[in-house]
Amino acid sequence: ETGVTQTPRHLVMGMTNKKSLKCEQHLGHNAMYWYKQSAKKPLELMFVYNFKEQTENNSVPSRFSPECPNSSHLFLHLHTLQPEDSALYLCASSPSWARSGDEQFFGPGTRLTVL
Amino acid sequence: QKEVEQNSGPLSVPEGAIASLNCTYSDRGSQSFFWYRQYSGKSPELIMFIYSNGDKEDGRFTAQLNKASQYVSLLIRDSQPSDSATYLCAVVTGNQFYFGTGTSLTVIP
C-alpha cells in the first residue's frame, strides 16, 4: 500500500447528489494532484495544489470543486454530476510541483459511478 | 496531436521473452520520462524514470531514451505472468505530467 490514501474506494451517486472525495498523503510532500482516468483515455490532470495553493485548473467544469486545507489533505467536492463523469479518480502527491523530475505517488483511487 | 502516444496493444509475449513497449512524445523540450505499471483495478506505480539519452537498467527493466527521435521505450527481460498489466508512459514538460493511454501487456505462461 502506498503513502497516499483515498476514501471512499467506491462511490455511486445520482446526478442531484453532493458528495466529496478525500485524499490524504503521509509522505511529507508539498504538491497534490487530482486526476481522472476514463477507459481508453490518458490520465487527465484536473487540479494541482502546491503548498496548499491551487496552481493548475485544467478547464475542469465547476461541478468539480477542489479543496486543500493543508499540504496533507485534498478534497474533491462533487455536485450535479453527469453520467459521463463516471471514472476512476486518482489522487497523487509529489515532493514539489516545481521540480520536473519528481515522481508522483498515486493513491488507490475512487471508482465513481454517476447514475 | 497528442502529447504522448503509445500503442494500446494488447501486446502478448510468452513467459521468458523480452517485452518491448514504446512511447513517442511531441514536445522536444520535455525533460523527464517515467514508466508506470497499472494492474487492473489498481493505481499506477512507478517502475522507472529516465532523464538522459541512452539506457538505464534496473533489474529486469531497461528504459531507453532517444531525445532526437522523441521516443522512450521500456524493455522487460525474462517476462513473467506477474508483469501482465497496463504500462503508462509519462512525459514531463515544464511542470506538467502528460500520460499516454497505456499499453496492455499479457505474458502467457
Side-chain angles (χ1 to χ4, degrees):
Chain A
E1 197 65 85
T2 67
V4 181
T5 58
Q6 289 185 244
T7 55
R9 297 292 302 273
H10 300 273
L11 178 62
V12 179
M13 59 186 289
M15 290 191 285
T16 58
N17 291 158
K18 288 185 179 181
K19 297 287 184 183
S20 295
L21 309 185
K22 179 183 176 182
C23 175
E24 184 174 358
Q25 58 96 1
H26 312 274
L27 301 169
H29 290 167
N30 295 310
M32 296 186 76
Y33 311 79
W34 278 118
Y35 285 92
K36 176 183 178 183
Q37 188 175 36
S38 305
K40 306 298 183 186
K41 289 186 177 181
L43 280 168
E44 300 173 51
L45 180 65
M46 300 175 73
F47 301 103
V48 179
Y49 278 82
N50 193 46
F51 290 96
K52 301 188 301 177
E53 299 297 321
Q54 184 175 315
T55 55
E56 293 285 332
N57 176 346
N58 285 354
S59 303
V60 179
S62 60
R63 57 186 184 269
F64 295 92
S65 175
E67 179 189 358
C68 188
N70 55 62
S71 292
S72 300
H73 293 86
L74 186 63
F75 295 89
L76 187 62
H77 304 299
L78 316 171
H79 63 97
T80 59
L81 294 192
Q82 304 298 311
E84 59 264 30
D85 296 322
S86 299
L88 180 68
Y89 288 84
L90 290 162
C91 174
S93 72
S94 68
S96 167
W97 174 72
R99 287 207 307 262
S100 63
D102 281 348
E103 170 193 353
Q104 292 191 3
F105 293 80
F106 286 86
T110 295
R111 174 67 62 184
L112 174 67
T113 302
V114 182
L115 301 177
Chain B
Q1 183 182 3
K2 294 179 183 177
E3 294 282 347
V4 180
E5 298 212 38
Q6 294 181 256
N7 186 332
S8 62
L11 173 66
S12 295
V13 300
E15 184 174 356
I18 295 175
S20 178
L21 306 164
N22 299 311
C23 172
T24 58
Y25 58 96
S26 61
D27 194 325
R28 286 193 172 274
S30 300
Q31 310 105 299
S32 310
F33 308 87
F34 297 78
W35 282 101
Y36 284 83
R37 177 176 61 200
Q38 187 174 22
Y39 291 113
S40 180
K42 302 291 186 180
S43 58
E45 55 181 340
L46 182 72
I47 299 175
M48 291 192 70
F49 58 87
I50 186 167
Y51 307 139
S52 304
N53 274 328
D55 295 0
K56 179 181 179 182
E57 188 174 317
D58 183 2
R60 296 187 296 112
F61 299 95
T62 299
Q64 299 175 318
L65 175 61
N66 185 322
K67 289 189 176 181
S69 300
Q70 294 175 235
Y71 83 78
V72 56
S73 62
L74 179 70
L75 301 178
I76 307 175
R77 290 183 300 282
D78 188 24
S79 296
Q80 302 296 311
S82 59
D83 295 326
S84 298
T86 296
Y87 289 80
L88 304 175
C89 172
V91 174
V92 178
T93 305
N95 295 319
Q96 290 272 22
F97 263 72
Y98 296 96
F99 285 86
T101 53
T103 298
S104 175
L105 172 67
T106 300
V107 179
I108 304 167

